[in-house]
Amino acid sequence: MTFGEQPAYLRVASDLREKIANGSLPPHARLPSQARIREEYGVSDTVALEARKVLMAEGLVEGRSGSGTYVRERPVPRRISRSGNRPPTGANPFRQEQAEEGARGTWESSSEQERASAVVAARLGIEPGERVMRTRYVYRDAGEPMMLATSWEPLSVTGRTPVMLPEEGPLGGCGVVERMAAIEVVVDNVAEEVGARPGLAEELLALGGVPGHVVMVVERTYFASGRAVETADVVVPADRYRIAYHLPVR
């Protein structure tokens, strides 16, 4: 095989990737061995090894101890719907945003006070070290982990109020807008930034992913008259879900 200017290992990986995509190497099929790749493509052992590493990093194949490397079954991405229209008072935003997809959503959460890191403080417009309530969530669809979220609320806003703990009290489980309204804080704006990065080890462990998999991260912040009252990181496995926005036309 004659290779152009692209590194040989990428050309080999590209050809194997195409075979996986067109079904020549179907899910659960064993990837050609390093020796077979070397012979078929006329490359060195190093090139063959690097090509396999590329496919593993992309999540297309997985190694099985003592058995070899196999093509992974690729899930059909599902949508996580987000809307510019707020759910009715008292409804949990997660359940509302998934309702149109027929998702059976449940979640687990834990809250504790901590001092704001420099990053969290910058997003909330407070001084580093100020006290915040941090709440961590694991969201599931039909029992399968689908999304992680960590939120931070400044205790200068919610401290010593009935909504200090997001998942407890009379408004436990309600959305930020409803909870803040209960303490006469009117949320009038929300900003979201969406990015992607390799998942952290603990995130992938919780989500059932493979090391190296990419996650989408939504950085969300709620504002009341220009003041940030909550900020959160929402983490979604990119190989299993797509984030769909439904925004009203103004």
Side-chain angles (χ1 to χ4, degrees), residues 6-97:
Q6 189 180 44
Y9 76 95
L10 291 181
R11 294 291 298 274
V12 173
S14 178
D15 191 68
L16 291 171
R17 188 188 302 113
E18 176 61 27
K19 290 180 178 179
I20 293 172
N22 65 25
S24 298
L25 286 172
H28 310 296
R30 186 173 181 176
L31 196 72
S33 67
Q34 187 169 314
R36 176 73 178 275
I37 292 174
R38 181 190 65 216
E39 295 172 4
E40 182 176 346
Y41 294 92
V43 295
S44 67
D45 281 333
T46 299
V47 169
L49 177 61
E50 290 302 313
R52 288 158 62 94
K53 285 182 178 179
V54 168
L55 298 179
M56 293 188 74
E58 293 175 352
L60 295 174
V61 300
E62 60 184 355
R64 299 179 187 174
S65 180
S67 179
T69 304
Y70 293 80
V71 177
R72 292 183 66 240
E73 186 166 1
R74 300 289 288 172
V76 178
R78 298 179 56 186
R79 290 194 303 166
I80 293 179
S81 297
R82 301 183 67 79
S83 174
N85 299 310
R86 301 308 307 161
T89 299
N92 182 280
F94 169 71
R95 189 178 297 279
Q96 283 291 323
E97 289 172 349

Coordinates of all heavy atoms in Angstrom, one line a residue, residues 6-97:
Q6 N 0.1 11.7 4.9 CA -0.4 11.4 6.2 C 0.4 10.3 6.9 O 0.8 9.3 6.2 CB -1.9 11.0 6.1 CG -2.6 10.8 7.4 CD -4.1 10.4 7.2 OE1 -4.3 9.5 6.4 NE2 -5.0 11.1 7.9
P7 N 0.6 10.3 8.2 CA 1.4 9.3 8.8 C 0.8 7.9 8.5 O -0.4 7.7 8.5 CB 1.3 9.6 10.3 CG 1.1 11.1 10.3 CD 0.3 11.4 9.1
A8 N 1.6 6.9 8.4 CA 1.2 5.6 8.0 C 0.2 5.0 9.0 O -0.8 4.4 8.6 CB 2.4 4.6 7.8
Y9 N 0.4 5.2 10.3 CA -0.5 4.6 11.2 C -1.9 5.2 11.1 O -2.9 4.5 11.4 CB 0.1 4.7 12.7 CG -0.1 6.1 13.3 CD1 -1.1 6.4 14.1 CD2 0.9 7.1 13.1 CE1 -1.2 7.7 14.7 CE2 0.8 8.3 13.6 CZ -0.3 8.6 14.4 OH -0.4 9.9 15.0
L10 N -2.0 6.5 10.7 CA -3.4 7.1 10.6 C -4.0 6.5 9.3 O -5.3 6.4 9.3 CB -3.2 8.6 10.5 CG -2.8 9.3 11.8 CD1 -2.8 10.8 11.5 CD2 -3.8 9.0 12.9
R11 N -3.3 6.3 8.3 CA -3.9 5.7 7.1 C -4.4 4.3 7.4 O -5.5 3.9 6.9 CB -2.8 5.7 5.9 CG -2.4 7.0 5.4 CD -3.6 7.7 4.7 NE -4.0 7.0 3.5 CZ -3.4 7.1 2.3 NH1 -2.4 8.0 2.2 NH2 -3.8 6.4 1.3
V12 N -3.6 3.5 8.1 CA -4.1 2.2 8.5 C -5.3 2.2 9.4 O -6.3 1.5 9.1 CB -3.0 1.4 9.2 CG1 -3.5 0.1 9.7 CG2 -1.8 1.2 8.3
A13 N -5.3 3.1 10.3 CA -6.4 3.3 11.2 C -7.7 3.7 10.4 O -8.8 3.3 10.7 CB -6.1 4.3 12.3
S14 N -7.5 4.6 9.5 CA -8.6 5.1 8.6 C -9.2 3.9 7.8 O -10.4 3.9 7.7 CB -8.1 6.2 7.7 OG -9.2 6.6 6.9
D15 N -8.4 3.1 7.3 CA -8.9 2.0 6.5 C -9.7 1.0 7.4 O -10.7 0.5 7.0 CB -7.8 1.2 5.8 CG -8.3 0.2 4.8 OD1 -8.8 0.7 3.8 OD2 -8.1 -1.0 5.0
L16 N -9.1 0.7 8.6 CA -9.8 -0.2 9.5 C -11.1 0.4 10.0 O -12.1 -0.2 10.2 CB -8.9 -0.5 10.7 CG -7.7 -1.4 10.3 CD1 -6.7 -1.5 11.5 CD2 -8.1 -2.8 9.9
R17 N -11.1 1.8 10.2 CA -12.3 2.5 10.7 C -13.4 2.4 9.6 O -14.5 2.2 9.9 CB -11.9 3.9 10.9 CG -13.1 4.7 11.6 CD -12.8 6.2 11.6 NE -11.6 6.5 12.4 CZ -10.4 7.0 11.9 NH1 -10.4 7.2 10.5 NH2 -9.4 7.2 12.6
E18 N -13.0 2.5 8.4 CA -14.0 2.3 7.3 C -14.6 0.9 7.2 O -15.8 0.8 7.0 CB -13.3 2.7 5.9 CG -14.2 2.5 4.7 CD -15.4 3.4 4.7 OE1 -15.4 4.5 5.4 OE2 -16.4 3.0 4.1
K19 N -13.7 -0.1 7.5 CA -14.3 -1.4 7.5 C -15.2 -1.6 8.7 O -16.2 -2.4 8.5 CB -13.1 -2.4 7.6 CG -12.2 -2.5 6.4 CD -11.1 -3.5 6.5 CE -10.3 -3.6 5.2 NZ -9.1 -4.5 5.3
I20 N -15.0 -1.0 9.8 CA -15.9 -1.1 10.9 C -17.2 -0.4 10.5 O -18.3 -0.8 10.8 CB -15.3 -0.4 12.2 CG1 -14.1 -1.3 12.6 CG2 -16.3 -0.3 13.3 CD1 -13.3 -0.7 13.8
A21 N -17.1 0.8 9.9 CA -18.3 1.6 9.5 C -19.2 0.9 8.5 O -20.4 0.9 8.6 CB -17.9 3.0 9.0
N22 N -18.5 0.2 7.5 CA -19.3 -0.4 6.5 C -19.7 -1.9 6.8 O -20.4 -2.5 6.0 CB -18.6 -0.4 5.1 CG -17.3 -1.2 5.1 OD1 -17.2 -2.1 5.8 ND2 -16.4 -0.8 4.2
G23 N -19.3 -2.3 8.0 CA -19.8 -3.7 8.4 C -18.8 -4.8 8.0 O -19.1 -6.0 8.3
S24 N -17.7 -4.5 7.3 CA -16.8 -5.5 7.0 C -16.2 -6.1 8.3 O -15.8 -7.3 8.3 CB -15.7 -5.0 6.1 OG -16.2 -4.5 4.9
L25 N -16.0 -5.3 9.3 CA -15.7 -5.7 10.6 C -16.8 -5.4 11.5 O -16.9 -4.3 12.1 CB -14.4 -5.0 11.1 CG -13.1 -5.4 10.4 CD1 -11.9 -4.5 10.8 CD2 -12.7 -6.9 10.8
P26 N -17.8 -6.3 11.7 CA -19.0 -6.0 12.4 C -18.7 -6.0 13.9 O -17.7 -6.4 14.4 CB -19.9 -7.2 12.0 CG -19.0 -8.3 11.7 CD -17.8 -7.6 11.1
P27 N -19.7 -5.5 14.7 CA -19.6 -5.6 16.2 C -19.2 -7.0 16.7 O -19.7 -8.0 16.2 CB -20.9 -5.1 16.7 CG -21.5 -4.2 15.6 CD -21.0 -4.9 14.3
H28 N -18.3 -7.0 17.6 CA -17.8 -8.2 18.3 C -16.8 -9.0 17.4 O -16.3 -10.1 17.9 CB -19.0 -9.1 18.7 CG -20.1 -8.4 19.5 ND1 -19.8 -7.8 20.7 CD2 -21.4 -8.1 19.2 CE1 -20.9 -7.3 21.1 NE2 -21.9 -7.4 20.2
A29 N -16.6 -8.5 16.2 CA -15.6 -9.2 15.4 C -14.2 -8.9 15.9 O -13.9 -7.8 16.5 CB -15.6 -8.8 13.9
R30 N -13.3 -9.9 15.8 CA -11.9 -9.7 16.3 C -11.1 -8.8 15.3 O -11.2 -9.1 14.1 CB -11.2 -11.0 16.5 CG -9.8 -10.9 17.1 CD -9.3 -12.2 17.4 NE -8.0 -12.1 18.1 CZ -7.3 -13.1 18.5 NH1 -7.8 -14.4 18.5 NH2 -6.1 -12.9 19.1
L31 N -10.5 -7.8 15.7 CA -9.6 -7.0 14.9 C -8.4 -7.8 14.4 O -7.9 -8.6 15.2 CB -9.2 -5.7 15.7 CG -8.6 -4.6 14.8 CD1 -9.7 -3.9 14.1 CD2 -7.9 -3.6 15.7
P32 N -8.0 -7.6 13.2 CA -6.8 -8.3 12.7 C -5.7 -8.1 13.7 O -5.5 -7.0 14.3 CB -6.5 -7.7 11.3 CG -7.8 -7.2 10.9 CD -8.6 -6.7 12.1
S33 N -4.9 -9.2 13.9 CA -3.8 -9.1 14.8 C -2.7 -8.1 14.3 O -2.7 -7.7 13.1 CB -3.2 -10.5 14.9 OG -2.5 -10.9 13.7
Q34 N -1.8 -7.8 15.2 CA -0.7 -6.9 14.8 C 0.1 -7.4 13.7 O 0.4 -6.7 12.7 CB 0.1 -6.6 16.1 CG 1.2 -5.5 15.9 CD 1.9 -5.2 17.2 OE1 1.2 -5.0 18.2 NE2 3.2 -5.1 17.2
A35 N 0.3 -8.7 13.7 CA 1.1 -9.4 12.6 C 0.3 -9.3 11.3 O 0.9 -9.1 10.3 CB 1.4 -10.8 13.0
R36 N -1.0 -9.5 11.4 CA -1.8 -9.5 10.2 C -1.9 -8.1 9.6 O -1.8 -7.9 8.4 CB -3.2 -10.0 10.5 CG -4.2 -9.9 9.4 CD -4.0 -11.0 8.3 NE -5.0 -10.9 7.3 CZ -6.2 -11.5 7.3 NH1 -6.5 -12.2 8.4 NH2 -7.0 -11.4 6.3
I37 N -2.0 -7.1 10.4 CA -2.0 -5.7 10.0 C -0.6 -5.4 9.3 O -0.6 -4.8 8.2 CB -2.3 -4.7 11.1 CG1 -3.7 -4.9 11.6 CG2 -2.0 -3.3 10.7 CD1 -4.0 -4.1 12.9
R38 N 0.4 -5.8 9.9 CA 1.8 -5.6 9.4 C 1.9 -6.2 8.0 O 2.4 -5.5 7.1 CB 2.8 -6.2 10.3 CG 4.2 -6.0 9.9 CD 5.2 -6.8 10.8 NE 4.9 -8.2 10.5 CZ 5.0 -9.2 11.5 NH1 5.3 -8.9 12.7 NH2 4.8 -10.4 11.2
E39 N 1.4 -7.4 7.8 CA 1.5 -8.1 6.5 C 0.6 -7.5 5.5 O 1.0 -7.2 4.3 CB 1.2 -9.5 6.7 CG 2.3 -10.3 7.6 CD 1.8 -11.7 7.9 OE1 0.8 -12.1 7.3 OE2 2.5 -12.4 8.7
E40 N -0.6 -7.2 5.9 CA -1.6 -6.7 4.9 C -1.3 -5.3 4.4 O -1.5 -5.0 3.2 CB -3.0 -6.7 5.5 CG -4.1 -6.3 4.6 CD -5.5 -6.4 5.2 OE1 -5.6 -7.1 6.3 OE2 -6.5 -5.8 4.7
Y41 N -0.8 -4.5 5.3 CA -0.6 -3.1 4.9 C 0.9 -2.8 4.6 O 1.2 -1.7 4.2 CB -1.1 -2.1 6.0 CG -2.6 -2.2 6.1 CD1 -3.2 -3.0 7.1 CD2 -3.4 -1.4 5.4 CE1 -4.5 -3.1 7.2 CE2 -4.8 -1.4 5.5 CZ -5.3 -2.2 6.4 OH -6.7 -2.3 6.6
G42 N 1.8 -3.8 4.8 CA 3.2 -3.5 4.5 C 3.8 -2.5 5.4 O 4.6 -1.7 5.0
V43 N 3.5 -2.6 6.7 CA 4.0 -1.6 7.7 C 4.8 -2.3 8.8 O 4.7 -3.5 8.9 CB 2.8 -0.7 8.3 CG1 2.2 0.1 7.2 CG2 1.8 -1.6 9.0
S44 N 5.4 -1.5 9.6 CA 6.1 -2.0 10.7 C 5.2 -2.4 11.9 O 4.0 -2.0 11.9 CB 7.2 -1.0 11.2 OG 6.5 0.1 11.8
D45 N 5.8 -3.1 12.8 CA 5.0 -3.5 14.0 C 4.6 -2.2 14.8 O 3.5 -2.1 15.4 CB 5.9 -4.4 15.0 CG 5.9 -5.8 14.5 OD1 4.9 -6.3 13.9 OD2 6.9 -6.5 14.8
T46 N 5.5 -1.2 14.8 CA 5.2 0.0 15.5 C 4.0 0.7 14.9 O 3.1 1.2 15.6 CB 6.4 1.0 15.5 OG1 7.5 0.3 16.1 CG2 6.1 2.3 16.2
V47 N 3.9 0.8 13.6 CA 2.8 1.4 12.9 C 1.5 0.6 13.2 O 0.5 1.2 13.4 CB 3.1 1.5 11.4 CG1 1.8 1.9 10.6 CG2 4.2 2.5 11.1
A48 N 1.6 -0.7 13.1 CA 0.4 -1.5 13.4 C -0.1 -1.3 14.8 O -1.3 -1.2 15.0 CB 0.7 -3.0 13.1
L49 N 0.8 -1.2 15.7 CA 0.4 -1.0 17.1 C -0.2 0.4 17.3 O -1.3 0.5 18.0 CB 1.6 -1.2 18.0 CG 1.4 -0.9 19.5 CD1 0.4 -1.9 20.1 CD2 2.7 -1.0 20.3
E50 N 0.4 1.4 16.7 CA -0.2 2.7 16.8 C -1.6 2.8 16.2 O -2.4 3.6 16.7 CB 0.8 3.8 16.2 CG 2.1 4.0 17.0 CD 1.8 4.4 18.4 OE1 1.0 5.3 18.6 OE2 2.4 3.8 19.3
A51 N -1.8 2.2 15.1 CA -3.1 2.2 14.4 C -4.1 1.6 15.3 O -5.3 2.1 15.5 CB -3.0 1.4 13.1
R52 N -3.8 0.5 16.0 CA -4.7 -0.1 16.9 C -5.0 0.8 18.1 O -6.1 0.9 18.6 CB -4.2 -1.5 17.4 CG -4.2 -2.6 16.3 CD -3.2 -3.6 16.6 NE -3.4 -4.3 17.9 CZ -4.1 -5.5 18.0 NH1 -4.7 -6.0 16.9 NH2 -4.3 -6.1 19.2
K53 N -4.0 1.5 18.6 CA -4.2 2.4 19.7 C -5.1 3.6 19.3 O -5.9 4.0 20.1 CB -2.8 3.0 20.1 CG -1.9 2.1 20.9 CD -0.6 2.8 21.3 CE 0.3 1.9 22.1 NZ 1.5 2.6 22.5
V54 N -5.1 4.0 18.0 CA -6.0 5.1 17.6 C -7.4 4.6 17.7 O -8.3 5.3 18.2 CB -5.6 5.5 16.1 CG1 -6.7 6.4 15.6 CG2 -4.3 6.3 16.1
L55 N -7.7 3.4 17.2 CA -9.0 2.9 17.2 C -9.5 2.6 18.6 O -10.7 2.8 18.9 CB -9.1 1.6 16.4 CG -8.7 1.7 14.9 CD1 -8.8 0.3 14.3 CD2 -9.7 2.6 14.2
M56 N -8.6 2.3 19.5 CA -9.0 2.1 20.9 C -9.4 3.4 21.5 O -10.3 3.6 22.3 CB -7.9 1.3 21.7 CG -7.7 -0.1 21.3 SD -6.6 -1.0 22.3 CE -7.6 -1.2 23.8
A57 N -8.5 4.4 21.3 CA -8.8 5.8 21.8 C -10.1 6.3 21.3 O -10.7 7.1 22.0 CB -7.6 6.7 21.4
E58 N -10.5 6.0 20.1 CA -11.8 6.5 19.5 C -13.0 5.7 20.0 O -14.1 6.0 19.7 CB -11.7 6.4 18.0 CG -10.7 7.4 17.4 CD -10.6 7.2 15.9 OE1 -11.1 6.2 15.3 OE2 -9.9 8.0 15.3
G59 N -12.7 4.6 20.8 CA -13.8 3.8 21.3 C -14.4 2.9 20.4 O -15.5 2.3 20.6
L60 N -13.7 2.6 19.2 CA -14.2 1.7 18.2 C -13.9 0.3 18.5 O -14.7 -0.6 18.1 CB -13.7 2.1 16.8 CG -14.1 3.5 16.3 CD1 -13.3 3.7 15.0 CD2 -15.6 3.5 16.1
V61 N -12.9 0.0 19.2 CA -12.5 -1.4 19.6 C -12.1 -1.4 21.1 O -11.9 -0.4 21.7 CB -11.3 -1.9 18.7 CG1 -11.6 -1.8 17.2 CG2 -10.0 -1.0 19.0
E62 N -12.1 -2.6 21.6 CA -11.7 -2.8 23.0 C -10.9 -4.0 23.1 O -11.1 -5.0 22.4 CB -13.0 -2.9 23.9 CG -13.9 -4.1 23.5 CD -15.1 -4.1 24.3 OE1 -15.3 -3.3 25.2 OE2 -16.0 -5.0 24.1
G63 N -9.9 -4.0 24.0 CA -9.1 -5.1 24.3 C -9.7 -6.0 25.3 O -10.3 -5.6 26.3
R64 N -9.6 -7.3 25.1 CA -10.0 -8.3 26.0 C -8.8 -9.1 26.5 O -8.1 -9.7 25.7 CB -11.1 -9.2 25.4 CG -12.3 -8.4 25.0 CD -13.4 -9.4 24.3 NE -14.5 -8.6 23.8 CZ -15.5 -9.1 23.1 NH1 -15.5 -10.4 22.8 NH2 -16.4 -8.4 22.6
S65 N -8.6 -9.1 27.8 CA -7.4 -9.8 28.3 C -7.3 -11.2 27.9 O -8.2 -12.0 28.0 CB -7.5 -9.7 29.8 OG -6.3 -10.3 30.4
G66 N -6.1 -11.5 27.3 CA -5.8 -12.9 26.8 C -6.6 -13.3 25.6 O -6.4 -14.5 25.2
S67 N -7.3 -12.4 25.0 CA -8.2 -12.8 23.9 C -7.9 -12.1 22.6 O -7.9 -12.6 21.5 CB -9.6 -12.7 24.2 OG -10.5 -13.1 23.1
G68 N -7.6 -10.8 22.7 CA -7.3 -9.9 21.5 C -8.1 -8.6 21.6 O -8.6 -8.2 22.7
T69 N -8.3 -8.0 20.5 CA -9.0 -6.7 20.3 C -10.2 -6.9 19.5 O -10.1 -7.5 18.4 CB -8.0 -5.7 19.7 OG1 -6.8 -5.6 20.5 CG2 -8.7 -4.3 19.7
Y70 N -11.3 -6.4 20.0 CA -12.6 -6.7 19.3 C -13.3 -5.4 19.0 O -13.2 -4.4 19.7 CB -13.5 -7.6 20.1 CG -13.0 -9.0 20.3 CD1 -12.0 -9.2 21.2 CD2 -13.5 -10.0 19.5 CE1 -11.5 -10.5 21.3 CE2 -13.0 -11.3 19.6 CZ -12.0 -11.5 20.5 OH -11.5 -12.8 20.7
V71 N -14.1 -5.4 17.9 CA -14.9 -4.2 17.5 C -16.1 -4.1 18.6 O -16.8 -5.0 18.9 CB -15.5 -4.4 16.1 CG1 -16.4 -3.2 15.8 CG2 -14.4 -4.6 15.1
R72 N -16.2 -2.9 19.1 CA -17.3 -2.6 20.0 C -18.6 -2.3 19.3 O -18.6 -1.8 18.2 CB -16.9 -1.3 20.8 CG -15.8 -1.5 21.8 CD -15.6 -0.2 22.6 NE -16.7 0.0 23.5 CZ -17.4 1.1 23.5 NH1 -17.3 2.0 22.6 NH2 -18.4 1.2 24.4
E73 N -19.7 -2.7 20.0 CA -21.0 -2.4 19.4 C -21.3 -0.9 19.7 O -21.2 -0.5 20.8 CB -22.1 -3.3 20.1 CG -23.4 -3.1 19.5 CD -24.4 -4.2 19.9 OE1 -24.0 -5.0 20.7 OE2 -25.5 -4.1 19.5
R74 N -21.6 -0.2 18.6 CA -21.8 1.2 18.7 C -23.2 1.5 19.1 O -24.1 1.1 18.3 CB -21.4 1.9 17.4 CG -20.0 1.7 17.0 CD -19.0 2.5 17.9 NE -19.0 3.9 17.6 CZ -18.4 4.8 18.3 NH1 -17.7 4.4 19.4 NH2 -18.5 6.1 18.1
P75 N -23.4 2.2 20.2 CA -24.8 2.5 20.6 C -25.4 3.6 19.6 O -24.7 4.4 19.0 CB -24.7 3.1 22.0 CG -23.3 3.6 22.0 CD -22.5 2.7 21.2
V76 N -26.7 3.5 19.4 CA -27.4 4.5 18.6 C -27.6 5.7 19.6 O -28.3 5.6 20.6 CB -28.8 4.0 18.1 CG1 -29.5 5.1 17.4 CG2 -28.6 2.8 17.2
P77 N -27.0 6.9 19.2 CA -27.2 8.0 20.1 C -28.6 8.4 20.4 O -29.4 8.4 19.5 CB -26.4 9.1 19.4 CG -25.5 8.4 18.5 CD -26.2 7.2 18.0
R78 N -28.9 8.7 21.6 CA -30.3 9.2 22.0 C -30.2 10.7 22.4 O -29.1 11.2 22.7 CB -30.8 8.4 23.2 CG -30.9 6.9 22.9 CD -31.4 6.1 24.1 NE -32.7 6.7 24.6 CZ -33.3 6.3 25.7 NH1 -32.8 5.4 26.5 NH2 -34.4 6.9 26.1
R79 N -31.3 11.3 22.3 CA -31.3 12.8 22.6 C -31.6 13.1 24.0 O -32.4 12.4 24.7 CB -32.4 13.4 21.7 CG -32.0 13.5 20.2 CD -32.9 14.4 19.5 NE -34.3 14.1 19.7 CZ -35.3 14.9 19.4 NH1 -35.1 16.1 18.9 NH2 -36.6 14.6 19.6
I80 N -30.9 14.1 24.5 CA -31.2 14.7 25.8 C -31.8 16.1 25.4 O -31.0 16.9 24.9 CB -30.0 14.8 26.7 CG1 -29.6 13.4 27.2 CG2 -30.4 15.7 27.9 CD1 -28.4 13.4 28.1
S81 N -33.0 16.3 25.7 CA -33.7 17.5 25.2 C -33.6 18.6 26.3 O -33.8 18.4 27.5 CB -35.2 17.3 24.9 OG -35.3 16.4 23.8
R82 N -33.2 19.8 25.8 CA -33.2 21.0 26.7 C -34.0 22.0 26.1 O -34.0 22.2 24.8 CB -31.7 21.4 27.0 CG -30.9 20.3 27.6 CD -29.5 20.8 27.9 NE -29.5 21.8 29.0 CZ -29.6 21.5 30.3 NH1 -29.8 20.2 30.6 NH2 -29.5 22.4 31.2
S83 N -34.7 22.8 26.9 CA -35.7 23.7 26.3 C -35.5 25.1 26.9 O -35.1 25.3 28.1 CB -37.1 23.2 26.6 OG -38.1 24.2 26.2
G84 N -35.8 26.1 26.1 CA -35.8 27.5 26.6 C -37.1 27.8 27.4 O -37.2 28.8 28.0
N85 N -38.1 26.9 27.3 CA -39.3 27.1 28.0 C -39.2 26.3 29.4 O -38.9 25.1 29.4 CB -40.5 26.5 27.3 CG -40.7 27.2 25.9 OD1 -40.7 28.4 25.9 ND2 -40.8 26.4 24.9
R86 N -39.4 27.0 30.5 CA -39.3 26.4 31.8 C -40.5 25.5 32.1 O -41.6 25.8 31.6 CB -39.2 27.5 32.9 CG -38.1 28.5 32.7 CD -36.8 27.7 32.6 NE -36.5 26.8 33.6 CZ -35.7 25.8 33.6 NH1 -35.0 25.6 32.5 NH2 -35.5 25.0 34.6
P87 N -40.3 24.4 32.8 CA -41.4 23.5 33.2 C -42.3 24.2 34.2 O -42.0 25.2 34.8 CB -40.6 22.3 33.8 CG -39.4 22.9 34.3 CD -39.0 24.0 33.3
P88 N -43.5 23.6 34.3 CA -44.5 24.2 35.3 C -43.9 24.2 36.7 O -43.1 23.4 37.1 CB -45.7 23.2 35.2 CG -45.5 22.5 33.9 CD -44.0 22.5 33.6
T89 N -44.4 25.1 37.5 CA -44.0 25.2 38.9 C -44.1 23.8 39.6 O -45.1 23.1 39.5 CB -44.8 26.2 39.7 OG1 -44.6 27.5 39.0 CG2 -44.4 26.3 41.1
G90 N -43.1 23.5 40.3 CA -43.1 22.2 41.1 C -42.5 21.0 40.3 O -42.3 20.0 40.9
A91 N -42.4 21.2 39.0 CA -41.9 20.0 38.3 C -40.3 20.0 38.3 O -39.7 21.0 38.2 CB -42.4 20.1 36.8
N92 N -39.8 18.8 38.3 CA -38.3 18.7 38.2 C -37.9 18.9 36.8 O -38.4 18.2 35.9 CB -37.9 17.3 38.7 CG -36.4 17.2 38.7 OD1 -35.8 16.9 37.7 ND2 -35.8 17.3 39.9
P93 N -36.9 19.8 36.5 CA -36.5 20.1 35.2 C -36.0 18.8 34.4 O -36.3 18.7 33.2 CB -35.4 21.1 35.3 CG -35.6 21.7 36.7 CD -36.2 20.6 37.5
F94 N -35.3 18.0 35.1 CA -34.7 16.8 34.4 C -35.9 15.9 33.9 O -35.9 15.6 32.7 CB -33.9 16.0 35.4 CG -33.5 14.6 34.9 CD1 -32.6 14.4 33.8 CD2 -34.1 13.5 35.4 CE1 -32.3 13.2 33.4 CE2 -33.8 12.2 35.0 CZ -32.9 12.1 33.9
R95 N -36.9 15.7 34.7 CA -38.0 14.8 34.2 C -38.8 15.5 33.1 O -39.2 14.9 32.2 CB -38.9 14.5 35.4 CG -40.0 13.5 35.1 CD -40.8 13.1 36.3 NE -40.1 12.6 37.4 CZ -39.7 11.3 37.4 NH1 -40.1 10.5 36.4 NH2 -39.0 10.8 38.4
Q96 N -39.0 16.8 33.3 CA -39.7 17.6 32.2 C -39.0 17.6 30.9 O -39.6 17.4 29.8 CB -40.0 19.0 32.7 CG -41.1 19.1 33.7 CD -42.4 18.8 33.1 OE1 -42.7 19.2 32.0 NE2 -43.3 18.2 33.9
E97 N -37.7 17.8 30.9 CA -36.9 17.9 29.7 C -36.8 16.5 29.0 O -36.6 16.5 27.8 CB -35.5 18.5 30.0 CG -35.6 19.9 30.4 CD -34.3 20.5 30.9 OE1 -33.4 19.7 31.1 OE2 -34.2 21.7 31.0

